[in-house]
Amino acid sequence: AGVPQDPRVLDSMLPYLTAYYGNPHSRTHAYGWESEAAMEKARRQVADLIGADSREIIFTSGATESNNMAIKGVARFYKSRKKHIITTQTEHKCVLDSCRSLEGEGFQVTYLPVKRNGLIDLKELEAALQPDTSLVSVMTVNNEIGVKQPVHDIGEICRAHKVFFHTDAAQAIGKIPMDVNNMKIDLMSISGHKIYGPKGVGAIYVRRRPRVRLEPLQSGGGQERGLRSGTVPTPLAVGLGAACEVAQQEMEYDHKRISQLAERLVTKIMSEVPDVVMNGDREHRYPGCINLSFAYVEGESLLMALKDVALSSGSACTSASLEPSYVLRAIGTDEDLAHSSIRFGIGRFTTEEEVDYTVQKCIQHVKRLREMSPLWEMVQDGIDLKSIKWTQH
């Protein structure tokens, strides 16, 4: 969903979009030095947010590229000895697709299931480890249902078995405290626009001690320690750095505010509308991502009815998809409920008015759509839908 850029981020970028347009890799002229210094400052700002050393931060085009680099990079580097990797069934598409392509190269991948609350079972993770496992990749916060995996425990298990641990932290970084040493994370993917920075930029954290080696995807002039060739776009890197610094300052405040707004949204909807299910664990979660299923309502129709919410408020963003989500399927949501689910995003710039407007529209349209639904009518009459033999015409 579209997240607005923080105005402080744009301010930090402007000079590098106009005055200092030097190539950060040309050290022979002053413009180059200016740009290089700005880039290194940004690298420190990203590193500080996650408790890393700035030499462990590599700029990329975003979390998709970082995820591809981490998974394919580690697997291919260690492939002579290790042919197995572990991930979960609820990862972001780019992680699952990277794993699929590795299966085509002869690697073996274990896709761990998740429990009904969306969390993995740590015993299953431990049981899945093999002597030739090179990498475990588990996202911190899920982008569809907001659940937060027990990253700290996963890190402990991986370190004890000398297996590298990668986490896609695009949805977590800057929103909940992340510390790569305390959590024993070896690789981490970061996205710019998820933390109110510019689109088209991200970073990957690659641990130096114990050292993680990867085979680069992108070959060329050897920028970014040879791991990601290509000129680093100074304005974007500066914007990412600024976004990280702002996030570090505002994290506690944002989290408290977003928690209150999320609580307000869920409570108000559930007090007015029966048969609403919240997907994912109620406790272990990031509050800004809320996924609700409204029984007997087509998620699509509800989303279309809520279109003006996204347009009028922009920040209380809502989304659903025609394809019942593989994430919801993995947590065992009924096919029909999966089709009735809507995701609400609450962020730094969401206001109480926007939440109330969304709630009011949502309640109004759910009631209207249910009144039109023959299934809803049957349920009100006490008919158990599961008992009906539907005839095929």
Side-chain angles (χ1 to χ4, degrees), residues 25 39 43 57-59 222-229 232:
H25 310 289
M39 206 168 77
R43 208 185 292 282
I57 302 297
I58 282 139
F59 289 116
Q223 293 92 340
E224 297 300 280
R225 305 216 326 268
L227 290 178
R228 205 277 186 187
S229 288
V232 174

Side-chain angles (χ1 to χ4, degrees), residues 58-125:
I58 282 139
F59 289 116
T60 68
S61 64
T64 294
E65 185 187 355
S66 301
N67 284 333
N68 273 267
M69 275 173 76
I71 291 162
K72 294 172 181 168
V74 167
R76 290 171 183 162
F77 191 92
Y78 296 97
K79 67 169 181 273
S80 58
R81 292 176 293 120
K82 303 188 163 183
K83 298 292 270 186
H84 178 236
I85 57 181
I86 298 174
T87 188
T88 79
Q89 294 174 4
T90 51
E91 293 300 302
H92 192 278
K93 267 281 197 292
C94 62
V95 166
L96 297 176
D97 285 354
S98 294
C99 289
R100 291 266 179 269
S101 78
L102 287 174
E103 286 181 292
E105 293 171 30
F107 289 89
Q108 185 203 346
V109 182
T110 299
Y111 298 93
L112 290 175
V114 293
K115 297 179 285 193
R116 291 218 56 138
N117 62 1
L119 303 177
I120 64 164
D121 183 327
L122 294 168
K123 290 196 178 59
E124 284 183 22
L125 168 63

Side-chain angles (χ1 to χ4, degrees), residues 131-187:
D132 70 338
T133 306
S134 59
L135 182 74
V136 168
S137 179
V138 179
M139 75 199 315
T140 304
V141 169
N142 187 278
N143 53 306
E144 277 196 41
I145 55 176
V147 298
K148 186 164 116 233
Q149 297 292 348
V151 175
H152 192 280
D153 302 331
I154 298 170
E156 293 283 351
I157 291 170
C158 291
R159 186 64 57 85
H161 290 82
K162 293 191 165 46
V163 172
F164 291 132
F165 172 34
H166 164 251
T167 188
D168 170 358
Q171 299 284 345
I173 179 131
K175 298 175 179 175
I176 57 174
M178 297 291 292
D179 184 298
V180 291
N181 294 315
N182 163 22
M183 295 172 161
K184 300 191 167 39
I185 293 166
D186 299 303
L187 302 110

Side-chain angles (χ1 to χ4, degrees), residues 161-363:
H161 290 82
K162 293 191 165 46
V163 172
F164 291 132
F165 172 34
H166 164 251
T167 188
D168 170 358
Q171 299 284 345
I173 179 131
K175 298 175 179 175
I176 57 174
M178 297 291 292
D179 184 298
V180 291
N181 294 315
N182 163 22
M183 295 172 161
K184 300 191 167 39
I185 293 166
D186 299 303
L187 302 110
M188 179 195 278
S189 302
I190 295 169
S191 159
H193 67 268
K194 295 280 188 296
I195 51 170
Y196 315 99
K199 286 187 168 66
V201 68
I204 182 173
Y205 156 78
V206 182
R207 181 175 287 284
R208 285 168 68 89
R209 273 195 284 281
R211 184 158 184 217
V212 181
R213 308 288 303 270
L214 8 140
E215 192 179 286
L217 296 181
Q218 189 126 301
S219 323
Q223 293 92 340
E224 297 300 280
R225 305 216 326 268
L227 290 178
R228 205 277 186 187
S229 288
T231 299
V232 174
T234 310
L236 295 182
V238 165
L240 175 63
C244 285
E245 185 166 304
V246 170
Q248 198 167 0
Q249 293 158 1
E250 316 258 314
M251 194 182 312
E252 242 177 285
Y253 174 77
D254 278 350
H255 195 277
K256 214 163 87 181
R257 210 178 141 267
I258 289 168
S259 301
Q260 288 164 349
L261 290 176
E263 184 63 28
R264 185 179 180 99
L265 179 111
V266 175
T267 310
K268 285 193 157 195
I269 290 178
M270 288 190 166
S271 65
E272 287 286 327
V273 184
D275 298 313
V276 181
V277 178
M278 183 166 175
N279 297 303
D281 197 277
R282 294 296 292 254
E283 294 302 302
H284 305 276
R285 61 179 314 102
Y286 167 64
C289 176
I290 302 156
N291 192 308
L292 301 179
S293 292
F294 298 89
Y296 322 111
V297 170
E298 231 356 352
E300 240 40 47
S301 324
L302 181 54
L303 193 66
M304 293 315 290
L306 291 175
K307 267 284 175 274
D308 65 321
V309 168
L311 295 174
S312 67
S313 75
S315 15
C317 60
T318 46
S319 64
S321 79
L322 277 169
E323 179 63 17
S325 126
Y326 63 91
V327 173
L328 293 180
R329 211 174 301 148
I331 61 172
T333 307
D334 268 359
E335 192 78 5
D336 45 353
L337 265 187
H339 267 299
S340 315
S341 77
I342 297 273
R343 182 175 58 176
F344 299 87
I346 295 180
R348 181 182 293 162
F349 300 114
T350 308
T351 64
E352 202 170 90
E353 293 75 51
E354 285 165 345
V355 168
D356 290 347
Y357 181 75
T358 304
V359 164
Q360 173 217 328
K361 286 285 181 214
C362 189
I363 292 168

